[in-house]
Structures are given as structure tokens and as C-alpha cells.
Amino acid sequence: MKDLEEKIRSFTPVSDSDMEFGLQFYKKETYKKGMFLVKPGQYIRNFYYMKQGCATYYTVENGVTRVMEFYTENTFFTDLYPYIEEIPSESYLELTEDSVVYAISKSDALKVFDHSHALERFGRLSMQKAYINNFQKINRIKNLSNQERYLQLLEKRSSLFQRVPQYMIASYLGLTPVGLSKIRKRLSQQ
């Protein structure tokens, strides 16, 4: 749990006693590739920390998969809007690799936040970061060309290309698999 503790402290200073109190509520869970943390219609009960592995956050609309995010090591994640609003999810969180996650239930997170101002601050800051990341992704999609989005992903998160299927990467970039293939071919010829 040392990595989880370091990640929490990267948001704000937390005393050892508050950290010990908070960490007791995280449950270590191991999942096989292809398992789901969330499916449409489910209520979101947990906030997760990815210790090892990869999860894909996506929807399926009219038979088309729309990938919104990939969560890899050292990342907090959940289906945030339904988690906050306590409504059923419309999305999937699927493990695309064998994964180890730490999960904390919403009710336990609220106990931790009531106990410690520092951990409550961590919770607020981590959710703000999730919101900002979503906002930045929307802006990238609007303001960058298909090729620029591909090159940026290759530069910042190149390991994804070995960890998830290409059709999911294409979807994440707002492309079809054929469009992604054309970009890769064009760049290899340069």
C-alpha cells in the first residue's frame, strides 16, 4: 500500500495517524483480464486506485464502442458522475489486463473525510484532477488534428499501444480502426 499512500500524499500532506485511519478502508482486489468493475445499470459504490494493470472506461451506443479513458498504474478512477450523483452508470469499466486495484466504498470514503480534513482535501483535489483531465481531453479532441492526437498519445502514453486493442485506441482518439491504420502507415512512410 506504500504506492497508494505516496499517491494520496502527492495531493496534500497527511499525518501518519490520519493516513493509517484512511488506508484501513481500502480493500485490495485482484481481477482477471476481461472482468468488469462497472456495467450499465449498476450503481457506483467504489472509488478505485490502480496498483497494477489497465482498465478501459467506455460506452456502447448503437453497437459502437466509445472509449473515454484508460486507467493504468498509479491512477485513481471510477465512473465519476454516477458515483457523485448516486445514479446508475451508463458505462463500462473493463479490465483489459490482469489487474490489482484498491477499492474504497463511498460510505467508507465519507467516514474517512469526516475523520480527517487532510484526507477530505485529498478527496476534493483528486476529483478536481479527474474533472480537469476530462476537460483537457475534450479540448484536445476539438483542437488537434487526428494525427496530432495520435502523436500526442504516442508521446505521453506509448505503453497503451501494447496494452489495449488497437480498435480501443482508435475509439479513444475519435477515429475508426481504418483511420488509425492510415495515420500509422502515413507516418511510417515519412
Side-chain angles (χ1 to χ4, degrees):
M1 283 194 140
K2 194 71 176 160
D3 48 351
L4 174 58
E5 181 180 331
E6 289 173 8
K7 184 66 174 184
I8 291 170
R9 285 194 165 120
S10 74
F11 285 91
T12 190
V14 179
S15 72
D16 290 344
S17 62
D18 282 352
M19 184 64 72
E20 186 178 333
F21 180 83
L23 290 178
Q24 73 178 320
F25 293 99
Y26 282 88
K27 307 294 184 257
K28 183 178 179 181
E29 300 175 350
T30 303
Y31 296 96
K32 293 288 185 193
K33 176 181 178 177
M35 293 181 77
F36 291 88
L37 297 175
V38 173
K39 288 184 177 181
Q42 289 182 328
Y43 286 86
I44 311 304
R45 306 279 185 231
N46 295 317
F47 206 82
Y48 301 97
Y49 171 78
M50 181 67 73
K51 177 177 175 46
Q52 176 187 340
C54 181
T56 303
Y57 175 49
Y58 64 94
T59 60
V60 177
E61 300 165 14
N62 300 320
V64 177
T65 299
R66 300 198 190 288
V67 175
M68 295 173 283
E69 192 56 77
F70 300 106
Y71 301 109
T72 56
E73 289 81 7
N74 205 26
T75 304
F76 288 103
F77 66 101
T78 195
D79 189 357
L80 195 57
Y81 181 70
Y83 175 83
I84 292 168
E85 293 296 317
E86 298 182 351
I87 59 174
S89 177
E90 295 178 2
S91 305
Y92 295 87
L93 269 171
E94 179 181 357
L95 284 304
T96 51
E97 293 178 345
D98 290 350
S99 299
V100 177
V101 301
Y102 289 106
I104 186 169
S105 70
K106 187 172 185 179
S107 61
D108 285 343
L110 293 173
K111 286 178 203 170
V112 170
F113 297 160
D114 285 342
H115 175 81
S116 167
H117 174 69
L119 289 170
E120 181 181 40
R121 178 177 164 78
F122 149 72
R124 180 177 51 81
L125 293 174
S126 64
M127 286 197 193
Q128 282 177 350
K129 181 155 178 59
Y131 173 78
I132 289 167
N133 288 344
N134 287 337
F135 181 75
Q136 288 173 331
K137 181 178 186 262
I138 291 166
N139 278 339
R140 279 193 305 271
I141 288 172
K142 286 188 333 190
N143 297 323
L144 298 177
S145 71
N146 293 342
Q147 183 169 309
E148 288 169 330
R149 287 195 308 276
Y150 169 79
L151 290 171
Q152 189 176 72
L153 184 63
L154 190 60
E155 177 187 329
K156 292 184 176 190
R157 301 180 76 189
S158 61
S159 70
L160 287 176
F161 290 86
Q162 285 75 48
R163 299 177 81 173
V164 297
Q166 295 301 298
Y167 78 92
M168 287 187 159
I169 293 203
S171 175
Y172 179 73
L173 293 170
L175 303 168
T176 64
V178 171
L180 176 60
S181 185
K182 286 180 181 179
I183 289 171
R184 294 177 79 171
K185 183 177 179 183
R186 184 170 52 248
L187 289 170
S188 71
Q189 293 172 347
Q190 291 180 355

